[in-house]
Amino acid sequence: NLHHIIEEFALYPFTILASVDGQTRRNLFQNGVILCRDLVRYPGHLEDVGVKGVKADKIINEARMMCKI
């Protein structure tokens, strides 16, 4: 089932991250970012949408915890 696939392959959408605000969500979607692992693999996605510093670090850390990376 879908839940099993999401869990097994860590395909969590970044929208589950509490540290991502609405504007950042919209901007990431517009840039084609969907998954937490996209943010972990390429943290520059956040900088591309104007999120830097402590806020970016918080989002990346939360995404890592979700993906268990």
Side-chain angles (χ1 to χ4, degrees):
N1 70 28
L2 181 58
H3 183 266
H4 176 74
I5 292 169
I6 290 169
E7 291 283 327
E8 183 176 345
F9 296 103
L11 300 174
Y12 302 103
F14 74 82
T15 55
I16 65 170
L17 303 176
S19 55
V20 178
D21 62 47
Q23 184 63 44
T24 302
R25 282 188 182 119
R26 285 187 291 280
N27 291 340
L28 288 169
F29 274 130
Q30 288 175 346
N31 284 7
V33 179
I34 303 295
L35 302 175
C36 289
R37 73 179 183 186
D38 295 333
L39 296 174
V40 173
R41 289 180 179 166
Y42 182 67
H45 284 307
L46 290 170
E47 190 171 326
D48 292 345
V49 298
V51 179
K52 301 175 185 175
V54 174
K55 183 174 179 179
D57 292 341
K58 183 175 180 179
I59 293 170
I60 295 302
N61 288 334
E62 189 179 359
R64 278 193 182 117
M65 288 189 329
M66 288 306 303
C67 296
K68 298 171 181 78
I69 296 174

